[in-house]
Amino acid sequence: MTLKTRLLAGVLFTALATPAVAADMTVGFSQIGSESGWRAAETSVSKVEAEKRGITLKIADAQQKQENQIKAIRSFIAQGVDAIFLAPVVATGWDAVLEEAKDAEIPVVLLDRSIETKDPSLYLTAVTSDSVHEGEVAGKWLVNTVAGKSCNVVELQGTVGASVATNRKEGFAKGIAGADNVKIIRSQTGEFTRAKGKEVMESFIKAEGGGKTICALYAHNDDMALGAIQAMKEAGLKPGTDILVVSIDAVPDIFKAIAEGEANATVELTPNMAGPAFDALAAYKDGKAPPKWIQTESKLYTKADDPMGQYDARKSLGY
């Protein structure tokens, strides 16, 4: 199986023995927006997965606002869709609208992010990576790479209140725990966008003597890292050399940066959350309960992993 095929296929859970078929369904997808290349790829791959199964997929772009997502969910309920996919922009504040979906007997599947609720029956399953693990992988890579050398880290966090941002921060802290030589000296949200990542990195560089006291950047996603790389170059620094760069998502452009020596490592987040979600709906339709959490795979990539080959395999996936 080629890398491109594997990416499109995603990681299917093995607990279900039924065929992955859920045709003649209409699914509403409340998507966060298009704040990153990964998010665009998730939307693109979701459309491909729906088409393969003969499912009508209605996508509502929330432009990174929870109120827009709540309106979209209520609209889907009014339309009488068969199921709702929700990629929640933040973790809290969903109980009321998900209760409305439950009352309408419309199953809700969470994609790529979890929520905080006292009533887990409000959603059918969550298809996500282990974002704590992603951050931990990044942290351990950095500890191993600096090999005991003193290393001051600046951190670009994701959207404030998003579960994935909270978890990736927690995971990185776990990854560097016990390595007294590695410490985070500055941490600020870059809102998961390339533009904001560049802006915040510029402020980090200015505050840290032109970047001379910064050993490494940890970014909660690749797009922020790519913006930060541009800020480093404009400040006369050599990203990947003067400042190590590790981030998460594995979007095509980060592989180009790795190939050019301007980034050092990325942790993969597959964009195919919809495939396993459609499989869960097929099982549910057949009267079988899917796992409450369907975990996707994470993998660390560095310059040793043929970055241009990775770029070529991913560039047509909608990033």
Side-chain angles (χ1 to χ4, degrees), residues 2 14 22 29 48 58 87 91 123 184 209 235 246 257 268 280 290 300 305:
T2 66
T14 59
F29 181 8
V48 171
K58 298 183 176 183
Y123 64 92
I184 297 173
V246 58
E268 181 178 35
L300 177 74
D305 296 298

Side-chain angles (χ1 to χ4, degrees), residues 98-266:
L98 295 190
E99 186 69 48
E100 294 173 28
K102 182 179 178 181
D103 290 343
E105 299 183 346
I106 299 174
V108 174
V109 178
L110 305 179
L111 296 191
D112 74 78
R113 296 184 181 185
S114 58
I115 63 171
E116 295 175 14
T117 178
K118 293 181 179 179
D119 184 5
S121 72
L122 294 178
Y123 64 92
L124 177 66
T125 185
V127 181
T128 75
S129 66
D130 183 340
S131 46
V132 173
H133 175 65
E134 291 170 345
E136 189 172 3
V137 169
K140 287 182 176 179
W141 172 85
L142 182 60
V143 170
N144 292 334
T145 299
V146 299
K149 185 186 80 172
S150 177
C151 186
N152 290 335
V153 183
V154 293
E155 178 184 30
L156 285 170
Q157 297 182 46
T159 306
V160 175
S163 62
V164 67
T166 301
N167 292 343
R168 286 177 177 175
K169 181 174 182 62
E170 176 189 341
F172 188 81
K174 287 177 65 176
I176 64 174
D180 294 338
N181 57 305
V182 179
K183 63 179 180 178
I184 297 173
I185 57 171
R186 295 187 183 274
S187 183
Q188 186 175 327
T189 180
E191 298 175 2
F192 281 131
T193 70
R194 198 172 299 202
K196 191 67 176 179
K198 180 177 185 289
E199 177 186 324
V200 176
M201 190 67 198
E202 287 170 344
S203 70
F204 286 163
I205 291 169
K206 184 176 180 180
E208 295 296 330
K212 294 179 181 179
T213 57
I214 302 172
C215 160
L217 163 71
Y218 166 52
H220 288 195
N221 79 345
D222 293 335
D223 277 80
M224 290 189 295
L226 290 162
I229 286 169
Q230 186 61 36
M232 293 178 208
K233 292 164 72 173
E234 290 178 5
L237 299 165
K238 292 183 178 179
T241 302
D242 294 335
I243 299 177
L244 299 174
V245 177
V246 58
S247 53
I248 299 171
D249 277 358
V251 306
D253 282 353
I254 202 69
F255 285 107
K256 288 183 73 174
I258 291 173
E260 293 166 1
E262 295 181 346
N264 306 91
T266 185

Side-chain angles (χ1 to χ4, degrees), residues 22-105:
D24 300 322
M25 295 181 67
T26 297
V27 177
F29 181 8
S30 176
Q31 176 61 289
I32 291 171
S34 54
E35 82 277 18
S36 66
W38 184 90
R39 185 69 52 190
E42 182 191 38
T43 299
S44 176
V45 173
S46 296
K47 293 175 181 177
V48 171
E49 291 292 331
E51 185 175 353
K52 282 192 334 188
R53 292 165 168 80
I55 294 170
T56 300
L57 185 65
K58 298 183 176 183
I59 300 176
D61 184 332
Q63 299 180 329
Q64 296 174 262
K65 295 180 180 179
Q66 184 181 33
E67 58 265 34
N68 290 344
Q69 291 200 286
I70 291 172
K71 289 177 184 177
I73 292 170
R74 288 186 170 137
S75 175
F76 291 145
I77 293 170
Q79 293 172 50
V81 298
D82 296 293
I84 294 171
F85 289 174
L86 169 62
V89 65
V90 293
T92 59
W94 300 104
D95 284 24
V97 72
L98 295 190
E99 186 69 48
E100 294 173 28
K102 182 179 178 181
D103 290 343
E105 299 183 346

